[in-house]
């Protein structure tokens, strides 16, 4: 279940990034970073489940930072 969620979030992030690069319209950057942060959260949870605590902590910290950046961008 978590693997499917990770793939879906990654594809959505890639689509927003591709749209921004192709059209040079960066209005959706905040949403793209939000989906990227959710992808990092899914990766972090997977790392904890696989007992890779160091990588899990790192990915959760990346999630928190990118989530903060996306919220700041959206406001």
């Amino acid at each position: 279940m978590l693997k499917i969620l990770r793939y879906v979030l990654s594809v959505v992030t890639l689509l927003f990034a591709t749209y921004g690069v192709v059209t040079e319209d960066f209005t959706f950057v905040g949403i793209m970073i939000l989906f990227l942060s959710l992808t990092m959260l899914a990766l972090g949870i997977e790392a904890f489940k696989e007992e890779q605590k160091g990588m899990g902590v790192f990915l959760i910290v990346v999630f928190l930072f990118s989530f903060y950046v996306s919220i700041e961008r959206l406001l």
Side-chain angles (χ1 to χ4, degrees), residues 11-64:
V11 168
V12 171
T13 303
L14 183 65
L15 289 174
F16 276 115
T18 303
Y19 173 79
V21 169
V22 169
T23 63
E24 295 181 3
D25 178 20
F26 301 110
T27 56
F28 296 115
V29 170
I31 297 171
M32 180 196 68
I33 295 173
L34 177 66
F35 280 107
L36 182 64
S37 69
L38 293 174
T39 304
M40 293 298 119
L41 177 63
L43 285 169
I45 293 171
E46 281 184 8
F48 273 117
K49 283 187 176 182
E50 295 173 2
E51 297 184 8
Q52 297 176 345
K53 294 187 190 250
M55 182 61 78
V57 169
F58 175 72
L59 289 168
I60 297 296
V61 169
V62 170
F63 158 71
L64 291 172

